[in-house]
Structure formats: structure tokens, C-alpha cells
Amino acid sequence: MFDLPAVSTIAQTIQLAIAPVFLLAGIGAILNVLAGRLSRVVDRSRVLEQLHANSEGEEHQRYVRELRIVDRRMRLANAAIALIVASAIVVCSLVALLFITQLAGLAFRVAVAVAFVLGMVLLVAGLVLFLIEINLALSYLYVREELLEREERNWRRTHPK
């Protein structure tokens, strides 16, 4: 018959699992941010699609360029979400492995270590894609010179009322 582990063994296992559980909370927060960014990018693409249909000339080309960037941003955000979700799944598996290893007395130390490293690699890869998406968004984010009205603003500074 199967003997139940001692309470102290269960307590140790719970202590071992606390760090990965905190990691899961952080991953959840990152996923929330990424989902919010993806939602905003999708909303922007819908606006651009409407503007694109009613534009021509240089304005039309500007919308085409921005639509291409928005499309790339959506793909990057989606890939980052997929990698970070995979990381969360691996971390959940890690918690399960910790309990199985401790409670059943199995020697899965290598599997636990591999799961932790794999979870971190997936998380880092997702964060790198997130950083690329942010940089891509900022690379296109500029205010056209004609909208800044710099000459008028400078004239006001030198000629106060």
C-alpha cells in the first residue's frame, strides 16, 4: 500500500513551489500588458483601414506604411504572447514536477532543472519580442513637421502680445 508523505515533506514541497508561483504571477502581469498592447494595435489597424479606403496620394502612402508596421506589430505581440504563455505552461509543469519529485520520492532533478531553464528561455524570448514590438512602435511614432507649426510658435516667443 502507498504510504502518505510526512507533513514536513509536504511543507517543504510547498516552500519549493512558492518561487515558481510568484513567477507565474509576474508572467500573468506581463501577459496582461501584452494583451492590452495587442488590443490597441488591432484598434489602430481598424481605424487605419477606414482612413486608407478614403485617402489618396501621399496621405494614402502614409496609411499604407503605417498599416504595414501595425501588421508587423500585431505579429510580434502575438508571438510574444505565445512564448510567454508557453513559459507559463512550463512553469506550471515545473510546480507539478516539484510535487511529484518530493512526494513520490522520484529522482526527477534533471527534469526540474530543464523545466526551469526552458521556462526562463521562453520568457526571455517573449520579452525580447515585446521589446522589439515597442521599438517598432516608437520607430514609426513621429509628428509630421507641418503639424508642429514650429515657425508660428517661435514667432510667438519672439513677439509676445
Side-chain angles (χ1 to χ4, degrees), residues 16-68:
L16 284 173
I18 286 177
V21 170
F22 279 118
L23 177 61
L24 284 173
I27 289 173
I30 292 167
L31 285 172
N32 190 29
V33 169
L34 274 168
R37 286 189 68 84
L38 181 57
S39 176
R40 292 190 63 163
V41 173
V42 168
D43 290 345
R44 179 66 181 155
S45 74
R46 290 181 180 146
V47 168
L48 286 170
E49 286 173 0
Q50 291 176 345
L51 293 171
H52 175 270
N54 301 319
S55 65
E56 50 188 50
E58 187 179 318
E59 182 182 45
H60 182 79
Q61 291 306 314
R62 196 169 53 247
Y63 291 139
V64 169
R65 282 191 305 270
E66 190 173 352
L67 276 167
R68 288 177 182 155

Side-chain angles (χ1 to χ4, degrees), residues 61-63 65-67 69 135-143:
Q61 291 306 314
R62 196 169 53 247
Y63 291 139
R65 282 191 305 270
E66 190 173 352
L67 276 167
I69 288 174
N135 285 325
L136 181 61
L138 291 175
S139 73
Y140 191 76
L141 185 65
Y142 67 94
V143 179

Side-chain angles (χ1 to χ4, degrees), residues 136-154:
L136 181 61
L138 291 175
S139 73
Y140 191 76
L141 185 65
Y142 67 94
V143 179
R144 294 188 321 258
E145 191 65 35
E146 65 266 16
L147 298 177
L148 293 175
E149 301 177 13
R150 290 181 192 242
E151 292 176 359
E152 182 183 352
R153 189 170 30 139
N154 289 335

Side-chain angles (χ1 to χ4, degrees), residues 105-121:
L106 300 173
F108 287 156
R109 288 185 290 255
V110 173
V112 168
V114 168
F116 181 77
V117 170
L118 180 61
M120 292 299 98
V121 167

Side-chain angles (χ1 to χ4, degrees), residues 75-94:
R75 284 186 277 122
L76 283 168
N78 191 46
I81 288 170
L83 286 169
I84 293 174
V85 165
S87 173
I89 291 168
V90 171
V91 171
C92 288
S93 300
L94 170 65

